[in-house]
């Protein structure tokens, strides 16, 4: 996309404006791509999402080449693309809505953007789903089983197994 001033999504759709997304993906920027893809494919099958469903995925939807040919990340964020997509009628009426993708490489909610997306989606009535890689599920189950066997109460088990999250610890920015 470098030098075009357009995101990959714009280039793939020929710049059409009538391509409202029926699905929005929320992810960690450092996830394992293979885990991400397997989690999405399983969720797609479970929800019956068609292969041709228009999907808003920031990696493809925001112009991120770092050149001066297109809008800067700062300028794009001023347009509130995440909010605009979440509040769109297409997403609100979609059976897919927002899918939060969990993998083992990075905790999804350790980025404030994910907490914002989840909050905004729930606030406007968007259906929210969690897609988890098999490796992520196995890790969570292993940790939970270990603490359950130790006799932990539910709250301690969830915290110790890393299942709960605290947005107070979430990062914002490029770090």
């Amino acid at each position: 996309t470098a030098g075009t001033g357009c995101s990959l999504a714009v280039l793939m759709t020929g710049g059409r404006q009538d391509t409202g997304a029926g699905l929005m993906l929320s992810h960690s920027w450092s996830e394992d791509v293979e885990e991400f893809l397997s989690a999405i494919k399983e969720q797609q099958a479970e929800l019956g999402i068609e292969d041709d469903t228009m999907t808003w995925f920031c990696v493809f939807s925001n112009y991120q080449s770092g050149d001066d040919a297109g809008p800067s990340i700062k300028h794009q964020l001023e347009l509130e693309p995440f909010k605009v997509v979440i509040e769109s009628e297409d997403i609100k009426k979609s059976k897919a809505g927002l899918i939060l993708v969990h993998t083992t490489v990075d905790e999804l909610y350790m980025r404030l953007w994910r907490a914002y997306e989840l909050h905004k989606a729930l606030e406007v009535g968007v259906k929210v789903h969690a897609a988890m890689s098999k490796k992520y599920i196995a890790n969570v189950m292993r940790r939970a089983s270990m603490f359950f066997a130790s006799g932990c109460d539910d709250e301690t088990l969830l915290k110790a197994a890393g299942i709960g999250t605290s947005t107070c610890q979430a990062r914002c920015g490029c770090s």
Side-chain angles (χ1 to χ4, degrees), residues 10 20 31 47 95 116 120-121 137 152 170:
V10 169
E31 74 264 326
L47 295 174
K95 66 181 172 184
Y116 168 77
K120 186 49 102 175
I137 293 169
C152 291

Side-chain angles (χ1 to χ4, degrees), residues 62-93:
N62 292 333
Y63 185 66
Q64 301 182 51
S65 75
D67 62 24
D68 291 329
S72 67
I73 295 293
K74 180 180 184 289
H75 175 73
Q76 291 175 82
L77 291 178
E78 289 169 354
L79 298 173
E80 299 183 305
F82 299 93
K83 178 181 180 226
V84 169
V85 172
I86 291 168
E87 290 181 344
S88 74
E89 290 304 314
D90 290 319
I91 288 290
K92 286 197 263 185
K93 68 183 178 185

Side-chain angles (χ1 to χ4, degrees), residues 2 7 21 28 38 55 76 81 86 98 103 108 136-137 155 175:
S7 69
S28 166
S38 71
T55 302
Q76 291 175 82
I86 291 168
L98 173 65
T103 67
L108 182 68
Y136 176 86
I137 293 169
E155 188 175 328
S175 60

Side-chain angles (χ1 to χ4, degrees), residues 7-81:
S7 69
L8 183 59
V10 169
L11 295 174
M12 290 175 69
T13 60
R16 290 190 350 245
Q17 298 294 313
D18 63 336
T19 54
L23 166 63
M24 179 176 174
L25 299 176
S26 183
H27 69 110
S28 166
W29 278 44
S30 57
E31 74 264 326
D32 178 281
V33 174
E34 290 173 349
E35 278 187 65
F36 174 86
L37 187 56
S38 71
I40 289 299
K41 283 184 175 182
E42 286 203 25
Q43 192 67 22
Q44 177 188 11
E46 185 176 314
L47 295 174
I49 300 169
E50 301 293 328
D51 286 340
D52 62 352
T53 299
M54 294 300 289
T55 302
W56 196 90
F57 184 33
C58 67
V59 171
F60 299 144
S61 300
N62 292 333
Y63 185 66
Q64 301 182 51
S65 75
D67 62 24
D68 291 329
S72 67
I73 295 293
K74 180 180 184 289
H75 175 73
Q76 291 175 82
L77 291 178
E78 289 169 354
L79 298 173
E80 299 183 305

